Amino acid sequence: MTHVSTQPENTPWWRLPIVWMVIGGPAIVVVASLVTAGIAIKHVDPVLDTSKGEVKGVIDMPAVQARNHAANADARAPADK
């Protein structure tokens, strides 16, 4: 039995569906990464000033307490007897 091809032998490369499947995947990833970079550049998160250690509001209090608790872990460690 012989294999019957539906594509003529001299088909240009851009007419083959497998070529567009191979090119399409990476092309979609590149476009998605550019869109993500554009969103990240357009909507930048503000930088918080942590050098003073002051609490600006009641909402920030738990975060500051957790930071101070983690920073003073050595002072809370029990002494070896």
Side-chain angles (χ1 to χ4, degrees), residues 9-48:
E9 293 296 323
N10 56 359
T11 303
W13 66 269
W14 64 85
R15 298 225 183 220
L16 298 174
I18 191 71
V19 172
W20 294 110
M21 289 177 60
V22 170
I23 294 172
I28 289 171
V29 171
V30 168
V31 170
S33 68
L34 292 174
V35 169
T36 303
I39 292 170
I41 291 170
K42 191 173 185 178
H43 303 287
V44 178
D45 290 337
V47 178
L48 300 177

Side-chain angles (χ1 to χ4, degrees), residues 37-70:
I39 292 170
I41 291 170
K42 191 173 185 178
H43 303 287
V44 178
D45 290 337
V47 178
L48 300 177
D49 182 19
T50 59
S51 62
K52 297 178 183 177
E54 296 176 4
V55 179
K56 296 180 180 171
V58 177
I59 292 176
D60 296 333
M61 183 65 75
V64 173
Q65 287 176 344
R67 182 195 64 198
N68 293 340
H69 183 74

